[in-house]
Amino acid sequence: MRPTQAPFPATRLRRARQSTAIRALTRQNTLSVDDLIWPVFVRAGEGIEEPIPSMPGVFRRSVDKVVEAAREAADLGIPAICLFPYTGLQERTEDCAGAWDPENHANRAIRAIKAAVPEIAVMTDVALDTYNINGHDGFVENGEIVNDRSVEALVKMTLAQAEAGADIIGPSDMMDGRIGAMRSALEDAGHQNVMILSYAAKYASAFYGPFRDAVGASGALTGDKKTYQMDPGNSDEALRLIERDLSEGADMVMVKPGMPYLDICRRVKDSFGAPTYAYQVSGEFAMIQAAAEHGWIDGERVMMESLMAFKRAGCDGILTYFAPAAARLLNARR
Ligand code: PBG
């Protein structure tokens, strides 16, 4: 029970805000480098760090440069890095075979990071969109994004990533039944320690725009993703999806996008108490960067405030393009 507060002036809530020391002592939530997962884009080639115009400060890196980035992240104390492949239109096919090719950029990057920076956890992206000619996360048959055949392909993709040494599989596809299928395939293949962080409550969001530029999907995507990603008007459905994915063997769950969906983060954490993550997506990042570049907001302070908001909403961690910048600030404060 909440104790009754004495009336003013016995209670003066400003007392707890009077100085840096008292504010530090009474602060309820804290942000730490341990809370950060850094999404990184991998491309073909060598020695390449190619800027992404709609995501100022973010690059597509060749495998050797991704390894350098992983080294930098580990040195900053960031516990995990999440790899997203960039593929040109010519590498995309209708059968999406590149997705489970052990030699695709993402799988090569996993192996290279595990060899050079073994202490950082490597998370992956499981979805067909970066290999699909039409930019969808599943196979398209007669205009329909088909579920069960897509899940079979996603399982192959998962196994290739686990073979390459991934620590955390990140299914972002929103097909039904994929978590159970992936979990049993991983168990059967002897990958019982490989974790699944399910993009369980993923909304059909316009905030993914800059990401689709980053992975080369903007030009490819035909139509929208509304038949598999969630309707932004829904809240209870997110809980059903999270419960379903946990029951199928997800170790951790994600809400995505982040800032516009903090209410969902809070409901998920309160309902299940499972390790809960939010993805502060490309559009959220781009808005903050763009306003900061114009001098309209203080970029650093908004970055830190936005990350703290996820902790306050109950998240255990955040996937954020700000991870290295935030880690540098947090380390400097110690
Ligand atoms: C696709 C995927 C998307 C993101 C992560 N994985 C985009 C989409 O669903 O179209 C978005 C990430 C971001 O916007 O930062 N499987």
Side-chain angles (χ1 to χ4, degrees):
M1 272 299 283
R2 188 181 288 272
T4 312
Q5 291 181 24
F8 175 85
T11 296
R12 287 182 186 269
L13 291 168
R14 284 187 57 192
R15 283 187 206 117
R17 295 179 221 139
Q18 63 185 288
S19 67
T20 305
I22 298 298
R23 286 190 296 272
L25 199 61
T26 56
R27 185 170 303 125
Q28 191 182 344
N29 296 289
T30 51
L31 176 70
S32 138
V33 178
D34 292 339
D35 302 322
L36 305 172
I37 300 176
W38 185 23
V40 171
F41 299 102
V42 195
R43 53 154 293 156
E46 229 192 284
I48 302 172
E49 279 182 317
E50 176 189 17
I52 299 163
S54 54
M55 300 180 72
V58 177
F59 301 86
R60 298 183 188 120
R61 294 172 163 90
S62 53
V63 171
D64 56 320
K65 291 288 177 185
V66 169
V67 172
E68 282 176 25
R71 179 75 267 156
E72 182 195 339
D75 291 345
L76 286 165
I78 295 171
I81 193 166
C82 181
L83 303 176
F84 290 96
Y86 162 81
T87 45
L89 267 179
Q90 69 291 346
E91 296 165 84
R92 294 163 171 272
T93 58
E94 209 159 321
D95 68 2
C96 305
W100 50 92
D101 179 350
E103 294 304 318
N104 69 28
H105 326 314
N107 289 333
R108 284 194 296 116
I110 296 170
R111 282 195 295 272
I113 294 171
K114 290 316 295 187
V117 194
E119 70 270 33
I120 201 161
V122 178
M123 175 174 166
T124 65
D125 182 50
V126 179
L128 300 183
D129 57 328
T130 25
Y131 301 94
N132 207 342
I133 193 105
N134 51 50
H136 278 290
D137 292 3
F139 291 122
V140 181
E141 290 175 15
N142 304 320
E144 180 184 345
I145 293 86
V146 294
N147 194 86
D148 301 9
R149 203 176 125 232
S150 300
V151 170
E152 286 170 26
L154 297 167
V155 167
K156 286 196 267 183
M157 190 174 183
T158 299
L159 289 175
Q161 294 171 348
E163 284 306 321
D167 300 287
I168 305 169
I169 303 295
S172 68
D173 54 282
M174 288 293 281
M175 297 298 122
D176 283 326
R178 88 270 205 226
I179 301 300
M182 288 171 186
R183 186 74 267 163
S184 62
L186 288 169
E187 290 290 324
D188 290 348
H191 295 299
Q192 63 274 5
N193 291 331
V194 172
M195 303 183 81
I196 299 177
L197 198 178
S198 171
Y199 288 59
K202 177 173 177 179
Y203 286 84
S205 174
F207 284 96
Y208 307 149
F211 174 95
R212 291 179 189 166
D213 293 342
V215 297
S218 301
L221 185 63
T222 50
D224 58 48
K225 299 191 175 185
K226 292 179 185 171
T227 67
Y228 46 108
Q229 299 181 348
M230 281 182 67
D231 186 318
N234 293 352
S235 176
D236 292 344
E237 185 189 3
L239 300 189
R240 297 184 70 192
L241 285 161
I242 300 267
E243 183 174 31
R244 191 266 319 264
D245 285 4
L246 288 170
S247 75
E248 290 183 16
D251 301 283
M252 304 179 266
V253 291
M254 188 200 296
V255 174
K256 178 183 174 188
M259 287 164 65
Y261 296 86
L262 292 178
D263 57 321
I264 307 297
C265 297
R266 171 49 66 195
R267 285 192 77 188
V268 166
K269 189 61 183 178
D270 287 349
S271 302
F272 304 105
T276 302
Y277 299 80
Y279 198 144
Q280 183 179 49
V281 301
S282 56
E284 303 175 57
F285 172 85
M287 290 194 304
I288 295 173
Q289 292 295 74
E293 280 183 0
H294 279 85
W296 294 338
I297 58 173
D298 179 330
E300 270 188 3
R301 289 184 54 207
V302 170
M303 165 177 80
M304 298 311 268
E305 185 178 332
S306 70
L307 296 173
M308 177 63 89
F310 291 108
K311 295 305 300 289
R312 197 188 60 241
C315 293
D316 295 287
I318 309 117
L319 285 95
T320 175
Y321 302 98
F322 287 124
R328 261 179 235 113
L329 272 184
L330 290 165
N331 290 336
R333 280 181 195 169
R334 273 192 297 154

